[in-house]
Amino acid sequence: MSTGDPLLDRARAWQAADPDPVTASELGGLIAAAEAEDRTALAELADAFDGDLEFGTAGLRGRLGPGPNRMNRVVVGRAAAGLGAYLDRQGLGGGRVIIGFDARHNSEVFAADSAELLAGAGFEVLLAPGPVPTPVVAWGIGAADCVAGIVVTASHNPPADNGYKVYLGDGSQIVPPADAEIAAQIAAVGDLGALPRSEDWAHWGPEILTGYIDRAAELGDRAAGSSLRWVYTAMHGVGSAVVRQVVARAGIPAPIEVAAQAEPDPDFPTVSFPNPEEPGAIDLAIATAVRAAEADAEPVDLVVANDPDADRCAVAIPTADGWRMLTGNELGWLLAEDFLARGVQGAYACSIVSSILLSQMAADHGQRFVPTLTGFKWIGRVPGLAFGYEEAIGYCCDPQHVPDKDGITALSTILAIAAEAKAAGTSFGSRLDRLAMRYGRHLTDQLSVRVEDLSIIAEAMSRLRAQPPSTLCDRPVEVTDLLSGSDRLPPTDGVLLEGDGVRAVVRPSGTEPKLKAYLEVWSAPPAEGSSGSGVDPELSVRLTRLRADMTTALGL
């Protein structure tokens, strides 16, 4: 390939300016291979330099590596500089910014670069002294009176990824128009090497973490002194150290930990995808629970899992047929029921792709229900929020202090509910039957299609809008194009189909190259005197039929 090739010229210029010897060396190897006409290297270079990694409401997230379409020190440095410029334009120059990071590859380096650039821009920077859960940073924004917060994390993404999450001074993730305004400032950053840097920043003091732990422990102190037996996995992430302190402070029995997953490991060696929702991800935790029950001849009450940055939480329960992972909606219902039963006043919120059951529960208790767009950047901003959740195992149990999803305060609340259920001679999972008796049984599922070509998603959405089905499961449905917005929701790229006992919401994923359909079917409450427990075969059949109908409707 000629030396005048524009792609190679961009790659060489990037290599010359790259402050990271690792990615500079990696890029040099790709350039050399591309010059020798290596097709794989050419494709990798084309992808790495095909535009910029987009800064949006989720901040940045992408694969580690050289180039503007990857996560690296250049891209992160520009993001930090752009954020600083945005804060200056908002009249917040010189304010305090808190920065945290997880244990992924390069997270600490990206956090340190951000601290130096923001300190060089005149901000007072508090940097975490080590890897921390994302919710601790969200807590620290309010606790330390910060104008913004940054967490370097890719949450539950694969090991090759990293990310950059931005919060503003209200403790919530950024939403439009702030995302576009920050992106514009990032695009305007000139020569990164010419920007001032400073080491005049500080590690935050122990009061940030101690304050968070104390508050999280308060939410679980109803479980103090209980006989609860539970298994915990941090999924190779940063949750273990904080969870241990929270449960000790609350007086909750210590967990049986999954030893192989207890400490941070950026390679996530025991899971192919470090997300508790993924099939097989909590197999080790369930196996640990089975062994513990057999060894001690005493059952384990539940398994609790955090994702790697501990902002999400999942639960598995024992059943007559073995262990079962609760869906994100089921866990959301159980948490909401606890808040409502304790008379917690305020708004109860969930994203539009989550179950409709929360709206019925809130109304039944005289509380306001608020539907939101997908993501805690919307849920956390609901005025007067008492509790919020989304089906992707995200729960906000302490909105006054952490207006974001928080897997540790969720864990603490879950343990309190489980301990109270055990003391009453029931179980955590049996409360789902109680809800079914009162509101009817709801089943949810998700149809998710990963694509290489994003045009496939756009074509499927266009096809659905042009020719939506008039029935699902032989039941008439109303079709609402969510792009039009409503009095309760701003416009979003999605389609809602809803009828008697059947519902589907279709939308492109905001963080992955996936098209998703969120499915729900439900039945009326059982007749008085019936048990209402167990699986409803007709409802299970209807859910299977709904999945097939939506697959056909999307042309997949």
Side-chain angles (χ1 to χ4, degrees), residues 230-283:
W230 59 293
V231 165
Y232 173 70
T233 176
M235 205 69 67
H236 295 296
V238 296
S240 289
V242 175
V243 166
R244 290 170 193 147
Q245 293 179 73
V246 168
V247 297
R249 191 76 50 87
I252 300 171
I256 302 162
E257 294 193 44
V258 181
Q261 298 176 338
E263 301 307 323
D265 189 327
D267 294 318
F268 304 102
T270 68
V271 287
S272 56
F273 202 106
N275 180 354
E277 291 184 290
E278 291 292 319
I282 64 164
D283 283 358

Side-chain angles (χ1 to χ4, degrees), residues 442-532:
H442 288 241
L443 297 181
T444 60
D445 196 7
Q446 186 182 126
L447 174 62
S448 179
V449 181
R450 182 180 290 272
V451 300
E452 295 293 331
D453 182 358
L454 290 177
S455 67
I456 295 172
I457 293 177
E459 290 168 2
M461 293 299 295
S462 295
R463 190 162 48 246
L464 180 63
R465 288 186 166 103
Q467 296 180 311
S470 59
T471 64
L472 292 172
C473 305
D474 297 325
R475 296 165 181 243
V477 292
E478 291 186 6
V479 181
T480 303
D481 188 345
L482 300 176
L483 268 179
S484 303
S486 70
D487 59 344
R488 305 195 76 182
L489 290 170
T492 187
D493 187 7
V495 176
L496 167 66
L497 307 97
E498 191 167 25
D500 180 22
V502 61
R503 182 177 188 264
V505 181
V506 183
R507 63 179 284 272
S509 169
T511 57
E512 299 176 273
K514 287 182 177 180
L515 179 64
K516 293 185 174 183
Y518 302 83
L519 314 176
E520 183 171 10
V521 297
W522 62 92
S523 60
E528 188 174 347
S530 62
S531 68

